[in-house]
Amino acid sequence: MSSSADRARNRIELLVPNLTPHGAVAPLGHDACHGPMTSEHIVIVLGVGPGLGLSIARTFASRGYTVAILSRSKARLDAIRTAVANVRSHWPERRIGTAIYNASIRVRSGFMDLDGEKVKQSVDGSITGGFAFAQAALESMLEHGRGGSLIFTGATSSIRGRENFAAFAAAKSGLRAMCQSMAKEFGPRNIHVAHVIVDGLIESQQALDFFGMPKGSRFPDGGVLYPPQMAKTWLFLAQQHPGSWTHELDLRPAKEHF
Ligand SMILES: NC(=O)c1ccc[n+]([C@@H]2O[C@H](COP(=O)([O-])OP(=O)(O)OC[C@H]3O[C@@H](n4cnc5c(N)ncnc54)[C@H](OP(=O)(O)O)[C@@H]3O)[C@@H](O)[C@H]2O)c1
């Protein structure tokens, strides 16, 4: 047990005077992303289908960031490290500042129909892939020493299991626990680890087809998550100042039950 004197000493260590003044506070959405300066900052997004991943990539690109998108054809789960190394060597004068893991393999199956292979796929898509990606990105961030952000996409299954989603819930909740551990280990080293719980259906052509909606139609506002609106949250997290970090937040449409 540490004494209260020890605890006080530990707090005091956090407050060792640093005479560098804080920078000016910019209006919401106008800060530069945490980490290397904008002109040197690479944003890397893994898991880029036509929906969320692409909107996140576009949002950062619109702010002048160099964005590398890794999709299945370029970065199979077993080659994530090589893909991240390729991004680094493609822009040797720039540094990975924001790394976003958006991939997942959504296994849907009754529990008795699950087999080891399906569980493995689910775990590979979230935990093994997320781990390899995080390690490769962290290696780069620790090497350049200017800090950065690692942001992971979660789902309702990250915090709530339900029927037919045992493998997916195990994988997503494991990823969430891994994020918490990384946040605690790397936060003091100026690397912000955040986890976004996406609690609802993301609008996509697949979702429109599933509900039998006619071609060209849209879900009404507030019914589903709309990727270009969601993507602003990733930018917001990446822009947070080290004095005000969010580790986890949830996003859901207005009409979602929770
Ligand atoms: N769709 C939803 O309604 C919803 C709801 C809640 C949370 N989420 C979460 O939001 C994120 C994006 O979801 P999404 O629906 O846009 O796409 P998704 O189908 O869940 O997959 C996300 C990305 O993972 C990659 N991926 C999918 N299957 C893969 C496989 N077998 N092997 C390797 N990579 C694979 C794909 O990237 P590439 O094609 O580039 O390889 C895809 O863009 C995911 O983390 C998901 O769990 C989605």
Side-chain angles (χ1 to χ4, degrees):
M1 279 288 276
S2 61
S3 67
S4 59
D6 283 342
R7 285 198 297 275
R9 194 159 51 242
N10 289 341
R11 297 306 297 175
I12 287 163
E13 278 169 13
L14 292 178
L15 304 175
V16 169
N18 175 347
L19 300 178
T20 313
H22 293 301
V25 177
L28 188 65
H30 289 260
D31 281 292
C33 288
H34 175 60
M37 57 198 246
T38 306
S39 58
E40 287 187 354
H41 191 123
I42 301 172
V43 178
I44 182 166
V45 188
L46 192 143
V48 180
L52 178 58
L54 192 58
S55 286
I56 292 172
R58 283 194 172 130
T59 299
F60 282 90
S62 73
R63 296 299 179 111
Y65 290 94
T66 299
V67 180
I69 55 177
L70 304 181
S71 69
R72 237 169 307 183
S73 52
K74 291 252 181 284
R76 300 192 75 79
L77 288 173
D78 56 4
I80 287 174
R81 286 176 175 287
T82 315
V84 174
N86 288 344
V87 170
R88 292 178 67 181
S89 60
H90 188 74
W91 286 292
E93 73 294 352
R94 296 178 195 194
R95 290 153 176 81
I96 293 176
T98 304
I100 294 166
Y101 191 80
N102 181 57
S104 77
I105 300 174
R106 190 166 169 271
V107 172
R108 182 189 182 129
S109 166
F111 192 78
M112 298 310 284
D113 293 326
L114 272 178
D115 56 29
E117 189 45 42
K118 287 183 192 151
V119 174
K120 183 175 180 314
Q121 269 180 21
S122 196
V123 168
D124 279 351
S126 293
I127 301 178
T128 318
F131 159 73
F133 179 75
Q135 225 182 32
L138 283 164
E139 202 171 271
S140 165
M141 290 174 188
L142 292 171
E143 202 177 291
H144 66 62
R146 298 188 199 172
S149 305
L150 261 177
I151 310 176
F152 293 82
T153 309
T156 311
S157 294
S158 306
I159 47 167
R160 280 203 302 277
R162 59 171 284 198
E163 65 280 12
N164 298 323
F165 287 98
F168 188 61
K172 280 290 198 185
S173 59
L175 175 67
R176 178 181 186 232
M178 194 166 77
C179 288
Q180 284 178 357
S181 302
M182 285 190 290
K184 292 178 186 190
E185 184 169 347
F186 295 102
R189 297 165 85 175
N190 204 22
I191 297 168
H192 178 192
V193 179
H195 178 248
V196 181
I197 298 170
V198 177
D199 185 22
L201 179 67
I202 301 178
E203 183 173 87
S204 65
Q205 192 52 53
Q206 208 185 354
L208 287 160
D209 293 345
F210 181 81
F211 284 98
M213 311 262 289
K215 280 269 168 277
S217 61
R218 301 289 306 274
F219 287 102
D221 271 356
V224 295
L225 292 135
Y226 180 40
Q229 291 293 349
M230 298 172 76
K232 292 192 283 191
T233 293
W234 273 254
L235 181 67
F236 164 67
L237 289 169
Q239 289 178 332
Q240 285 187 330
H241 181 275
S244 306
W245 278 348
T246 297
H247 168 59
E248 183 167 78
L249 55 74
D250 51 21
L251 273 184
R252 67 179 62 82
K255 294 179 189 164
E256 186 66 40
H257 296 276
F258 71 106

